[in-house]
Amino acid sequence: MVKLKKLSEPTPETLGPLVMSEMTSERPTTSLAAPVVGTDRSSLSADEMRNLRQKVSAQGVDFFYGSNQALHNVSLDMPENLVTALIGPSGCGKSTFLRCLNRMNDMIDDTIVRGDILLDGVDIYKSRTDVVELRKRVGMVFQKSNPFPKSIYDNIAYGPRVAGVKQRGVLDEIVEKCLEQAALWDEVKDRLNDSALQLSGGQQQRLCIARALATFPDVLLMDEPASALDPKSTARIEDLIFELKNSYTIVIVTHNMQQAARVSDQTAFFYEGSLIEVGATTELFTRPTQQQTEEYITGRFG
Amino acid sequence: MSNSSPPVYRNSLAEHSNGRPLAKFASNAFAVACATCTIVCMATLVVLLWKIFQFGWGRVNLDFITSFPSSTAENAGIKSSLVGSLYLIGLTALFSVPLGVGTAIYLEEYCKPSRWRTFAQTNIANLAGVPSIVYGILGLGLFVRAMSLNRSLLAGALTLTLVILPIVILASQEALRAVPKTIRQASYALGATRWQTVWGQLLPASLPGILTGVILALSRALGEAAPLLAIGAATYTAFLPQDIVHDDFSVLPLQIYNWTDQPQEAFHQAAAAAIVVLLTVLICMNALAVFLRYRFSKRIQW
Ligand SMILES: Nc1ncnc2c1ncn2[C@@H]1O[C@H](COP(=O)(O)OP(=O)(O)O)[C@@H](O)[C@H]1O
Ligand SMILES: [Mg+2]
């Protein structure tokens, strides 16, 4: 069987571009108007996306919590270096689907997955998959920021350390690069040894993103990463997603449709465990083909 | 509140409860009853301590601590039993901490919910309630006779390990359970193995709780006399144990027991003095527990 790629040594390429982003947020972030699709990005059509390299591909995925089926035959392709947003009313299985992609559901007892999930063409549910290796390649950011009760430095260095990186110099470099990528370096560079729990909520969440970047993943899963944050912090996270998408394939769950419209290239609408519709974000929000999708995005239910 | 007349809004909460004088009386009576219980307990303790200190304090001095027991009460000291107690506690800690914490980690982090786990868990909870003399008899059969350890420090420490092991396990489990699930998730999502998560995140985070439990359990072991009597430990020795597998040993509670058994009043005074020393050691250990808890939990706040 194909063994998943080993963690490569950090090189400038794998570390991705540096992001020294000062806030560039003149965009309205809290508007309650109909979703405005961001224009500062290439808008690809669904057909164009189909022809891209599919980084992650779910094929006929069913998921069960015990006898309760949470996903019904979900098939979804996530193209490389694009942002895929998962939307839908709460309880429709978005988080469940996201957790299938890095096998975090394995941690929950008594669950069953059926169907195939391919990462770079390799089925991650094959019995010989190294889950630890998989999770290094598919990073995850949680809804509630969950920094370790350790220093800022140790939070970032934890991933590389468990992967076997020991040299202080290399760790220092990774910490700096990842914090820069997460647009947090300038705020914390003078207090790397302070507890991460002293940071503000928004900073903590960016720290969690930086921490996820430190294992050099290809794919970044984000489960409502901004839902607990104030609008300004939310805007910063969205800016960050914009920057990161050049080097990562991002899958983001959000219940905020403006956010989906702003940050994503492709949007998938889930309802009661089924994937109802998927398409280029621009098209899905302007010309939904399914009635349920239309009702949801116009706010008639959910 | 009556529902026939229009509602009358009162502006003070105190007035509000006037409507239910009985409830208020019951509430006050209960508070008084609880306070009485507390006062009775405190008063008993204070009187007890007062009498012991009054009687024994004059006898506590350096000579008392550095002399061996003697047949003349005026020359008798606690050197051998104090040293015996400290050795015994040290050895007990050496055995019970790795065993207890290891068991707790296994049950909390490795063992899936199963009949086996329920069985183990129920047994541990029950074992915590078994009178210590029973462990003494077990120790007599197993360590002293079957393993031919005689009445040595090793046999005593192993017996006391049996006594406090359930407490150490339960306290450690409690401490591990108090670490938020999100910390485990974050660690696994970064590609950490179970072992790395336990060692790198869970143990550091639960250390204050584990240490507190261990110290309190060891304080209990320090005061135990019954199981040591059962294995036939000496009630006094006139030498320091040189060897943990051959030499007889004594401990403070047994020395106190021995002295209170003598007819002469002077020996009773020596016993009171030994109790003062024992209490001092106990208070020091408890203070250490409080200090450690404070030190570590300042660093770790969820
Ligand atoms: N750990 C779990 N155990 C059992 N059922 C769960 C668990 N997590 C989610 N579910 C169920 O799966 C369904 C989908 O939940 P979820 O994926 O969290 O939805 P969403 O993220 O879209 O709000 C819900 O019905 C929920 O009750
Ligand atoms: Mg969710």
Side-chain angles (χ1 to χ4, degrees):
Chain A
M1 259 314 295
V2 188
K3 181 90 163 56
L4 291 173
K5 171 186 103 184
K6 277 265 168 251
L7 175 85
S8 47
E9 274 299 296
T11 62
E13 294 91 84
T14 57
L15 285 169
L18 304 192
V19 183
M20 303 287 284
S21 118
E22 269 311 301
M23 270 252 298
T24 54
S25 172
E26 279 108 54
R27 288 176 291 118
T29 51
T30 50
S31 124
L32 292 173
V36 179
V37 178
T39 49
D40 45 349
R41 67 187 150 85
S42 59
S43 5
L44 297 165
S45 74
D47 283 336
E48 286 168 319
M49 277 185 208
R50 213 162 292 133
N51 293 327
L52 292 174
R53 208 171 101 81
Q54 304 301 329
K55 186 72 187 177
V56 187
S57 170
Q59 299 172 353
V61 174
D62 291 323
F63 189 88
F64 298 83
Y65 291 106
S67 59
N68 170 26
Q69 186 165 6
L71 293 177
H72 301 265
N73 193 22
V74 173
S75 297
L76 177 62
D77 288 335
M78 286 145 270
E80 187 161 35
N81 291 359
L82 291 188
V83 179
T84 300
L86 311 180
I87 61 168
S90 72
C92 68
K94 306 179 297 290
S95 301
T96 302
F97 180 73
L98 201 70
R99 284 198 302 266
C100 285
L101 304 184
N102 67 346
R103 294 189 54 171
M104 281 300 276
N105 282 327
D106 292 13
M107 318 263 318
I108 305 170
D109 293 316
D110 198 22
T111 56
I112 303 166
V113 195
R114 285 204 303 241
D116 298 327
I117 295 176
L118 310 180
L119 174 65
D120 289 329
V122 180
D123 188 349
I124 62 169
Y125 277 91
K126 278 276 157 46
S127 57
R128 299 212 6 221
T129 305
D130 181 349
V131 181
V132 164
E133 210 55 50
L134 168 71
R135 292 188 185 140
K136 282 176 201 153
R137 288 186 56 195
V138 183
M140 189 165 209
V141 176
F142 297 83
Q143 176 167 9
K144 192 170 168 293
S145 62
N146 53 358
F148 300 128
K150 295 173 180 281
S151 71
I152 293 169
Y153 185 97
D154 287 340
N155 263 274
I156 311 285
Y158 183 71
R161 274 184 181 139
V162 299
V165 179
K166 290 205 181 67
Q167 305 96 303
R168 185 75 193 193
V170 178
L171 288 174
D172 286 349
E173 193 183 338
I174 295 175
V175 168
E176 177 170 351
K177 293 275 157 62
C178 292
L179 284 171
E180 275 173 356
Q181 269 189 295
L184 195 58
W185 176 250
D186 290 335
E187 288 159 65
V188 302
K189 63 169 183 261
D190 299 323
R191 46 182 180 135
L192 291 177
N193 291 320
D194 287 4
S195 168
L197 300 171
Q198 289 167 7
L199 297 174
S200 75
Q203 288 175 324
Q204 285 192 10
Q205 192 61 303
R206 275 181 285 144
L207 181 75
C208 291
I209 294 174
R211 186 176 66 181
L213 299 179
T215 60
F216 312 114
D218 311 333
V219 181
L220 211 48
L221 309 176
M222 300 182 162
D223 193 346
E224 307 195 17
S227 67
L229 301 180
D230 60 276
K232 197 165 169 181
S233 304
T234 303
R236 296 207 68 160
I237 301 276
E238 288 178 10
D239 287 341
L240 191 52
I241 293 171
F242 256 76
E243 303 287 347
L244 293 176
K245 122 184 167 178
N246 295 320
S247 359
Y248 302 89
T249 304
I250 298 176
V251 186
I252 178 172
V253 170
T254 174
H255 58 209
N256 177 333
M257 276 170 293
Q258 278 82 22
Q259 188 170 69
R262 277 194 302 269
V263 302
S264 71
D265 303 282
Q266 171 179 256
T267 299
F269 172 63
F270 281 70
Y271 185 63
E272 291 185 347
S274 298
L275 177 64
I276 303 296
E277 182 171 358
V278 53
T281 299
T282 339
E283 290 168 23
L284 188 119
F285 278 108
T286 50
R287 294 184 299 278
T289 58
Q290 303 293 315
Q291 197 193 339
Q292 282 157 315
T293 315
E294 183 176 355
E295 284 175 3
Y296 183 72
I297 61 178
T298 53
R300 249 173 283 166
F301 78 89
Chain B
M1 280 279 180
S2 81
N3 48 14
S4 50
S5 55
V8 179
Y9 295 106
R10 302 186 164 136
N11 52 12
S12 111
L13 283 173
E15 257 181 81
H16 221 77
S17 49
N18 282 346
R20 301 159 63 202
L22 201 64
K24 195 175 174 190
F25 173 75
S27 169
N28 288 341
F30 186 66
V32 169
C34 289
T36 314
C37 291
T38 314
I39 289 166
V40 169
C41 292
M42 293 295 292
T44 318
L45 193 66
V46 166
V47 169
L48 203 67
L49 286 179
W50 173 246
K51 294 217 76 136
I52 285 170
F53 270 80
Q54 208 186 22
F55 189 33
W57 185 248
R59 195 68 179 71
V60 181
N61 52 38
L62 203 61
D63 271 352
F64 181 66
I65 291 170
T66 55
S67 315
F68 285 110
S70 154
S71 53
T72 47
E74 289 70 31
N75 301 329
I78 54 167
K79 183 174 184 178
S80 53
S81 53
L82 180 61
V83 170
S85 270
L86 296 178
Y87 276 162
L88 191 67
I89 287 305
L91 280 174
T92 307
L94 207 62
F95 299 137
S96 60
V97 171
L99 270 176
V101 176
T103 308
I105 290 173
Y106 171 73
L107 287 174
E108 284 303 307
E109 304 300 324
Y110 284 86
C111 196
K112 289 236 163 71
S114 59
R115 268 210 218 120
W116 151 244
R117 177 167 142 182
T118 316
F119 173 78
Q121 191 72 66
T122 315
N123 269 295
I124 291 164
N126 286 334
L127 286 175
V130 169
S132 56
I133 185 86
V134 177
Y135 290 109
I137 293 163
L138 176 61
L140 178 67
L142 186 61
F143 304 129
V144 177
R145 302 246 167 91
M147 291 169 62
S148 308
L149 293 176
N150 301 320
R151 302 173 300 185
S152 63
L153 272 170
L154 190 57
L158 288 172
T159 307
L160 284 187
T161 300
L162 290 181
V163 175
I164 66 167
L165 199 53
I167 312 175
V168 174
I169 296 172
L170 291 175
S172 306
Q173 278 189 289
E174 206 61 56
L176 283 169
R177 237 175 278 152
V179 180
K181 277 266 176 299
T182 56
I183 295 298
R184 291 175 177 77
Q185 283 174 354
S187 176
Y188 289 124
L190 287 169
T193 61
R194 218 167 260 270
W195 164 244
Q196 287 168 330
T197 304
V198 167
W199 188 248
Q201 299 297 343
L202 304 181
L203 278 182
S206 56
L207 201 61
I210 291 178
L211 279 178
T212 311
V214 164
I215 291 173
L216 293 180
L218 287 176
S219 318
R220 169 159 176 208
L222 192 64
E224 282 289 356
L228 297 175
L229 274 181
I231 66 162
T235 54
Y236 78 92
T237 54
F239 53 83
L240 294 182
Q242 301 296 322
D243 177 334
I244 61 166
V245 274
H246 295 107
D247 288 352
D248 274 7
F249 71 99
S250 185
V251 291
L252 279 172
L254 292 183
Q255 182 66 71
I256 292 163
Y257 169 77
N258 177 286
W259 278 334
T260 51
D261 225 22
Q262 309 290 327
Q264 295 94 324
E265 175 84 2
F267 276 118
H268 297 174
Q269 198 191 3
I275 291 174
V276 171
V277 174
L278 181 61
L279 282 177
T280 310
V281 177
L282 280 173
I283 288 169
C284 288
M285 287 176 70
N286 282 280
L288 184 67
V290 172
F291 171 74
L292 287 173
R293 165 137 244 149
Y294 172 76
R295 256 296 292 282
F296 285 105
S297 52
K298 224 174 36 174
R299 240 180 27 199
I300 300 168
Q301 272 158 1
W302 306 114

